[in-house]
Amino acid sequence: MAPDLRTRLGSSELPNPILTASGCASSGRELAQFIDVSKIGAIVTKSVMLAPRAGRPTPRMAETPGGMLNSIGLQGPGIDAFLQRDLPWLLSRGARTVVSIAGSTIDEFAELAARLSDAAGVSAIEVNISCPNVEHRGQVFACDPVDAGAVIEAVRARARFDIPVFAKLSPDVTDIVAIARACVAAGADGLSLINTLLGMAIDTDTMRPVLAGLTGGLSGPAIRPIAVRCIWQVSEALPNVPIIGMGGVLTGRDALELILAGASMVSVGTAIFHDPSACARILRELDEELARRGTERVSDLVGAAHDVRASGRRV
Ligand code: RRO
């Protein structure tokens, strides 16, 4: 029998746990020529802000060993264009949509949540409090438990009651569990782990930084062990809180690794840049991995690496 891949997202159900990662598939249109966007669990949009924004100057991407640096700087059309053009398109294609939101202030996040709550077709809100490409680190709300909690509380207060709110966290902190706890205490229904890590590359010929923005977010397979560690730690501390895991997933086996660490959904990001049909392929591979193991339901494996019976020990 084919494994049951259905996954819960708040009160709704996704057909499977494979999602796009925010920022790697815009609002889904570009992917539609490669995959049926209704067949994957959900599209997670590029972070939407209140106003249109050009982002940082170019060059704003650089390849690194086992990964990639980006310094996009929250480019996007703004919430009006998103609501008029992108969200209706996703709905018309039968896609489930997780809308990532970003703001410079708590009020901006709250306003975005309110605007989305009046719209049809929002399966969840992912609150991006961890973009590394902002003017100063004080704007990275996810680096401080009080700031992180304040954003989530404001979003939860303005988001429609039936829309789950996920907080997207940064691995660039001393204690990610403390940030996760603060978000959940403030009303987060789930957590997205992890955003990119702040990195930098220097061109040894020009002797100058490669990125015009100097620093950028590191993603790709190089960060997968960090994602696994963060998901593991948070899942160990908060075993009942749903986690969307992301960080360097290239194959179905990689997705399974994040699931075993505690993720009930897995976002695919950097892989999409060299394989635009990566989400569909990874979904197929995950299905095969589960079938080979005789797993009936993917939900049986969420956090299974923590299970004292499976491993014989608990760290
Ligand atoms: O737009 C970006 O530069 C960006 C964002 Br919002 C984010 O959350 N993570 C990232 O690596 N880049």
Side-chain angles (χ1 to χ4, degrees):
M1 232 173 54
D4 181 352
L5 295 175
R6 287 173 301 170
T7 307
R8 294 223 67 80
L9 179 60
S11 56
S12 59
E13 187 180 82
L14 304 181
N16 63 72
I18 301 299
L19 285 50
T20 60
S22 177
C24 301
S26 188
S27 289
R29 269 175 208 258
E30 287 88 343
L31 280 196
Q33 54 185 312
F34 302 101
I35 64 167
D36 180 344
V37 292
S38 72
K39 290 279 169 21
I40 60 171
I43 297 285
V44 184
T45 69
K46 169 75 180 158
S47 297
V48 182
M49 299 192 77
L50 279 181
R53 188 167 150 126
R56 282 179 158 178
T58 58
R60 49 190 194 179
M61 284 171 93
E63 283 192 54
T64 60
M68 176 184 110
L69 286 167
N70 86 82
S71 173
I72 307 302
L74 285 149
Q75 181 192 344
I79 189 71
D80 290 337
F82 177 77
L83 290 173
Q84 278 158 25
R85 191 187 62 197
D86 298 327
L87 191 57
W89 180 86
L90 284 158
L91 200 54
S92 75
R93 290 300 176 109
R96 291 146 299 275
T97 304
V98 177
V99 183
S100 171
I101 59 171
S104 313
T105 64
I106 292 173
D107 285 348
E108 283 181 18
F109 277 101
E111 176 69 21
L112 285 159
R115 296 286 307 275
L116 289 170
S117 296
D118 293 336
V122 179
S123 296
I125 296 174
E126 186 177 81
V127 189
N128 185 0
I129 49 175
S130 49
C131 173
N133 299 323
V134 290
E135 290 306 311
H136 50 84
R137 294 300 282 173
Q139 279 178 275
V140 186
F141 295 91
C143 288
D144 179 273
V146 175
D147 293 346
V151 176
I152 298 306
E153 194 177 345
V155 168
R156 190 57 280 176
R158 300 285 298 280
R160 213 172 60 216
F161 73 97
D162 59 336
I163 299 180
V165 169
F166 278 62
K168 185 156 184 182
L169 303 191
S170 169
D172 279 340
V173 291
T174 310
D175 183 1
I176 195 165
V177 172
I179 313 284
R181 282 190 200 282
C183 290
V184 171
D189 302 286
L191 300 163
S192 297
L193 308 171
I194 54 176
N195 209 318
T196 54
L197 290 98
L198 192 64
M200 187 171 181
I202 293 173
D203 184 326
T204 49
D205 292 325
T206 64
M207 301 196 191
R208 292 289 302 144
V210 173
L211 297 170
L214 307 183
T215 58
L218 180 66
S219 62
I223 73 164
R224 198 171 68 246
I226 299 170
V228 172
R229 183 266 298 173
C230 290
I231 294 165
W232 171 279
Q233 287 179 323
V234 171
S235 162
E236 188 78 4
L238 301 163
N240 298 318
V241 175
I243 294 173
I244 305 176
M246 69 282 292
V249 170
L250 286 188
T251 66
R253 200 179 267 258
D254 299 342
L256 181 57
E257 187 181 10
L258 270 56
I259 290 167
L260 292 169
S264 53
M265 290 155 275
V266 174
S267 279
V268 176
T270 305
I272 293 175
F273 290 100
H274 59 87
D275 174 9
S277 44
C279 288
R281 175 182 52 77
I282 290 168
L283 174 58
R284 201 170 54 241
E285 291 171 356
L286 177 64
D287 186 70
E288 287 163 6
E289 293 288 344
L290 299 185
R292 189 138 40 86
R293 288 166 176 77
T295 305
E296 284 177 27
R297 290 171 297 267
V298 68
S299 56
D300 292 342
L301 294 186
V302 174
H306 296 257
D307 193 331
V308 71
R309 286 157 300 177
S311 66
R313 71 198 160 87
R314 197 170 179 113
V315 181

